[in-house]
Amino acid sequence: MQWSDELNAGFSTANATWLPVNETSVNVAAQEAAEVSHLQVFRELAKLRQEITFVRGDLAFPLVTEEVIAILRSYQGAPSYLVVINTSASQVIVDLLQETDLPETATAVLRSVTDTSEDTAPGNEVQLDNLMLVGGEGIVFRLPEE
């Protein structure tokens, strides 16, 4: 990722660089200043990855279709997480309760920047039987304690 929208994307103060640099508004400075950004999502995912559930937890795939994959991570005595990813470019609605032992609801922890729905905002409890995912979206849910 480029550092800034300055000349040479903040990599060099020279008039030219020996490798080409694409001038773009997608850069670290803009991502850090934004209310929601890919960089912020990445940092939050990196934090989650340090939790014992992701480090040592059991792995299951409660739902796999051509468009959607659901990944369940659980570890005794720690919160369980469900990661749901829409791999298609189109919006899909999925019933995560169909043929699974998942609870009816879960708390949204983190989501892709492409989702602006209030329903799946982090901290909200979300019904898992009628989950709408925009194209390319991923959501991380914390499951209720058993």
Side-chain angles (χ1 to χ4, degrees), residues 35-37 74 108 129:
E35 190 172 322
V36 178
S37 72
S74 56
D129 63 346

Side-chain angles (χ1 to χ4, degrees), residues 88-106:
S88 76
S90 303
Q91 174 180 308
V92 296
I93 296 175
V94 63
D95 180 356
L96 292 167
L97 303 184
Q98 190 174 11
E99 300 179 34
T100 71
D101 294 340
L102 293 172
E104 292 183 13
T105 63

